[in-house]
Amino acid sequence: MKVPMLDLVAEHAPYRGELQVAFERVLDSGRFVLGPEVEAFEREIAAWIGIPHAIGVSNGSDALLLALQAVDVGPGDEVICPTFTFFATAGAIARLGGIPVFVDSAECCYNLRADQVAAKIGPKTKAIIAVHLFGQCADMDPILTAAKKHGIPVIEDAAQALGARDKGRQAGTMGTLGTFSFFPTKNLGALGEGGLITTRDASLAEKIKKLRVHGAKQKYFHELVGGNFRLHELQAAFLRVKLKYLDSALKKREQNASRLIESLREKWSAVMSLDACVCQGKGEAKQGKPGSVFLPFSCHSGVGEHTWNQFVVRVLGPGQRDALKQKLSAQGVQTEIYYPRPLHEQDCFQHSSQSFPFTEQLVKEVLALPLLEKSCLLLP
Ligand SMILES: Cc1ncc(COP(=O)(O)O)c(C=O)c1O
């Protein structure tokens, strides 16, 4: 591949030595589980995000599970979430016996339609999960307003959006709880797996810390049924190194995204973009001819508000996305489809006959392009 989706070896090269020093520090300490590196990382990332409590956990999927458990989601409880997201968002609800209540996606950012959330709230609604997809925040105000009115907690699934902002507010600081993933493809990637939960609520933080270690504050005395959801000491040490470079990495992604947008406008003939955010269901959704490519749209106008975790275009017309994917692959450019099937159509969730028209169209059109410095030079 001339242009892979991600080049982690090249990304780590400038601070390879620092990662090796971090490895040796942990090796020499003989402390591998919930030691000083996890504690220091939790302090440092809490300060970076601007939140009082940050709890390191095993991965982003478990972060969601723990967040839902912390707000007492259990069998039969409904949790509102988007149908266009990674499986873990709804998987965590189902792992607790809860029922995901899906919401369609917005045509601008592909995040859940915030204006449709209030209408989904019913007597069994126990929580709302807003996902900040592809690196930009969902439109949080209508969601927070509806949740407040009904006294329902909001969990921000910010797995893909560490550092993103909505009207200046950091992802993971707006809801009751925020969850993050440190999977290697994320804005801050571990050299393995990791996750994080953020909250302003000291008692929820305390509860999550207990749930992380089988529900016990004091070893072998269990107040709750939790599990082993610990962040590894070694991963925390690596994440501490990478956190120092996060601001510059995000800036670079934003520059690469602007360059790629310019370059696609020049090189590809049928490129289109929306004129305005249509998150609220207002405004005209633009139509285009088959083969037209919609560029990604940034609903948040401030510099640095979108973190560009993925650069996702829409290719209009039956079969056109797959044809473009094949053409790019033949030219050595890797692409990915996030996501080819909505969650309401997954075999394990076919309990609902509801349809979500825009998402059903979207899954046939989305294509993620590589966002490396060389992407705009090498894209045909
Ligand atoms: C939106 C979203 N939520 C949750 C997760 C789960 O994170 P992890 O892979 O660390 O379990 C991911 C990972 O891709 C994600 O994209």
Side-chain angles (χ1 to χ4, degrees):
M1 274 297 160
K2 281 190 289 185
V3 193
M5 281 298 285
L6 198 63
D7 187 348
L8 289 171
V9 174
E11 194 182 306
H12 292 151
Y15 45 82
R16 184 187 169 88
E18 281 185 73
L19 290 169
Q20 284 168 331
V21 168
F23 169 75
E24 284 180 16
R25 193 169 65 235
V26 176
L27 182 67
D28 292 341
S29 77
R31 291 282 304 273
F32 304 119
V33 176
L34 291 190
E37 298 290 339
V38 170
E39 269 175 35
F41 173 64
E42 287 177 341
R43 263 196 321 274
E44 287 159 10
I45 194 152
W48 191 90
I49 293 172
I51 190 103
H53 308 283
I55 304 126
V57 297
S58 32
N59 54 59
S61 307
D62 289 341
L64 281 161
L65 185 85
L66 285 167
L68 290 165
Q69 230 184 326
V71 297
D72 299 321
V73 169
D77 290 333
E78 292 184 354
V79 178
I80 297 168
C81 71
T83 184
F84 187 64
T85 172
F86 179 62
F87 178 77
T89 309
I93 302 166
R95 283 166 77 187
L96 292 170
I99 301 160
V101 173
F102 295 116
V103 183
D104 208 351
S105 332
E107 299 201 22
C108 35
C109 55
Y110 321 142
N111 276 314
L112 84 174
R113 279 279 298 269
D115 61 317
Q116 294 183 0
V117 168
K120 302 266 174 177
I121 297 175
K124 290 190 185 166
T125 309
K126 198 68 185 252
I128 300 167
I129 304 181
V131 180
H132 304 319
L133 204 62
F134 302 146
Q136 73 172 314
C137 287
D139 183 18
M140 288 303 289
D141 283 335
I143 300 169
L144 295 170
T145 305
K148 193 171 175 193
K149 188 170 161 202
H150 295 272
I152 297 166
V154 175
I155 296 166
E156 293 172 69
D157 179 350
Q160 302 180 10
L162 177 62
R165 279 173 276 136
D166 175 11
K167 302 185 189 76
R169 302 164 296 182
Q170 280 271 354
T173 65
M174 295 174 269
T176 316
L177 292 154
T179 65
F180 296 85
S181 164
F182 301 128
F183 188 75
T185 57
K186 300 299 193 271
N187 289 348
L188 179 66
L191 309 191
E193 308 263 4
L196 190 82
I197 304 177
T198 50
T199 185
R200 298 183 186 283
D201 184 323
S203 63
L204 281 178
E206 196 57 27
K207 187 172 177 184
I208 290 163
K209 280 187 181 164
K210 266 187 227 159
L211 289 168
R212 174 172 72 171
V213 286
H214 292 289
K217 189 166 182 187
Q218 190 189 344
K219 215 172 170 185
Y220 307 125
F221 293 87
H222 303 270
E223 297 161 45
L224 303 162
V225 179
N228 174 356
F229 297 116
R230 297 180 286 246
L231 174 65
H232 295 187
E233 192 69 355
L234 197 50
Q235 293 307 335
F238 293 143
L239 287 164
R240 289 182 70 199
V241 172
K242 292 187 71 174
L243 183 59
K244 291 195 281 176
Y245 298 93
L246 182 59
D247 285 311
S248 58
L250 291 177
K251 204 172 269 173
K252 203 174 205 182
R253 287 194 80 77
E254 192 170 34
Q255 282 166 356
N256 289 348
S258 317
R259 276 200 217 125
L260 187 53
I261 286 173
E262 263 173 52
S263 164
L264 290 178
R265 280 208 176 105
E266 278 166 24
K267 288 182 176 178
W268 290 5
S269 51
V271 161
M272 306 175 66
S273 44
L274 286 184
D275 303 320
C277 166
V278 290
C279 259
Q280 303 273 339
K282 293 181 204 123
E284 280 294 295
K286 263 192 181 172
Q287 304 301 322
K289 286 195 217 113
S292 306
V293 175
F294 263 109
L295 294 172
F297 185 81
S298 188
C299 294
H300 305 275
S301 51
V303 173
E305 298 224 315
H306 191 334
T307 62
W308 298 98
N309 182 249
Q310 297 295 341
F311 186 98
V312 179
V313 297
R314 274 173 65 200
V315 190
L316 307 190
Q320 298 286 339
R321 184 267 313 272
D322 297 335
L324 179 61
K325 182 171 176 46
Q326 255 178 6
K327 182 177 145 196
L328 290 173
S329 171
Q331 285 162 333
V333 178
Q334 191 183 8
T335 57
E336 290 287 347
I337 297 172
Y338 303 121
Y339 300 95
R341 181 178 283 185
L343 296 188
H344 68 277
E345 288 182 356
Q346 298 291 341
D347 291 346
C348 58
F349 289 139
Q350 285 196 359
H351 55 258
S352 140
S353 56
Q354 273 184 295
S355 93
F356 300 90
F358 182 64
T359 305
E360 285 157 28
Q361 178 187 337
L362 193 57
V363 294
K364 297 183 192 126
E365 297 176 342
V366 276
L367 191 65
L369 306 181
L371 193 58
L372 305 175
E373 239 161 317
K374 59 184 177 183
S375 301
C376 42
L377 301 174
L378 296 180
L379 272 179

